[in-house]
Each structure stands twice: as structure tokens, then as C-alpha cells.
Amino acid sequence: VQLQASGGGLVQAGGSLRLSCAASGRNFRGYTIAWFRQAPGKEREFVAAMRWSTDSTYVQDSVKGRFTISGDNAKPTVDLQMNSLKPEDTAVYYCAAGPSIKTTARWYNYWGQGTQVTVSS
């Protein structure tokens, strides 16, 4: 499975960004696609995940109500819509693929390159 993350950038607090994770490779729709983020000096943190085959989703409590994860079968991508962004959302965001929805990074076998999200105050 190959993953390509895109959509990061610089935005003011309160603004929005939409990240996309383009997936390809054999049987990628059998995987769970997750978004993690890592701020400088901090551990990689789970944000949200979607199991493609069932459309099941899970969003971390700290971003629930602001972030939404969804899949676009036509592209195909798994997108992370981020609204009402805060400076503390600043991080490198990574997408990853694994066998099921888990909140710890070690369960994910495939990783895309990160995309930087910077939220200015």
C-alpha cells in the first residue's frame, strides 16, 4: 500500500484546511486509513481513522466536532477536514494504513510522508 498525504499549509486560528491521503496498491480498500500528527518534541498522536470497507470512523475526543474524516472512492482518498483550527493543532500530519481502527501508531504498517500544518494565532 502506498500513501501520499497532501493539503497542509499555513492558516490563521479559526480557519480550515482539508488534508487528503491518496491510497494505492493491492487491496488498499481492505485497510483502515488513519491520520496521526506529531508536534515538535511530542509523541505521534492519533487524530482519526476510517475503515474503508465499512465506512466506520473514529475521531479523537480532542478534535471531535472540529475534524471530520471521510473517504472518496472516486479518487480514492481519505480526507481530513479540519475546521476551527487552533495553534495547538500545529504539527506534521501523517496518514497511515493498518488492519483495523487502532489509536496507537505501532498497529499501522504503512505510512505516507507528512504534511505540515501550521496554525498562527
Side-chain angles (χ1 to χ4, degrees):
V1 176
Q2 292 81 47
L3 304 171
Q4 180 80 26
S6 63
L10 172 64
V11 64
Q12 288 188 332
S16 298
L17 280 175
R18 188 175 184 90
L19 306 184
S20 286
C21 179
S24 61
R26 187 173 181 179
N27 297 327
F28 70 87
R29 285 189 173 85
Y31 286 86
T32 289
I33 305 295
W35 285 96
F36 285 79
R37 66 185 181 184
Q38 190 166 19
K42 295 188 177 181
E43 292 187 355
R44 196 163 292 192
E45 175 190 30
F46 173 83
V47 177
M50 188 191 86
R51 184 162 179 79
W52 214 308
S53 60
T54 62
D55 283 338
S56 300
T57 62
Y58 181 76
V59 180
Q60 184 203 65
D61 285 345
S62 66
V63 302
K64 196 172 291 184
R66 299 190 298 121
F67 291 12
T68 304
I69 188 168
S70 62
D72 186 329
N73 271 308
K75 293 182 180 179
T77 60
V78 174
D79 298 338
L80 185 68
Q81 177 66 42
M82 306 186 295
N83 299 326
S84 302
L85 283 161
K86 303 175 181 180
E88 51 264 44
D89 294 318
T90 294
V92 178
Y93 285 70
Y94 299 89
C95 60
S100 60
I101 294 179
K102 301 287 186 182
T103 60
T104 51
R106 67 183 180 93
W107 290 103
Y108 291 85
N109 311 98
Y110 305 96
W111 290 82
Q113 91 293 357
T115 185
Q116 176 71 46
V117 171
T118 303
V119 184
S120 63
S121 57

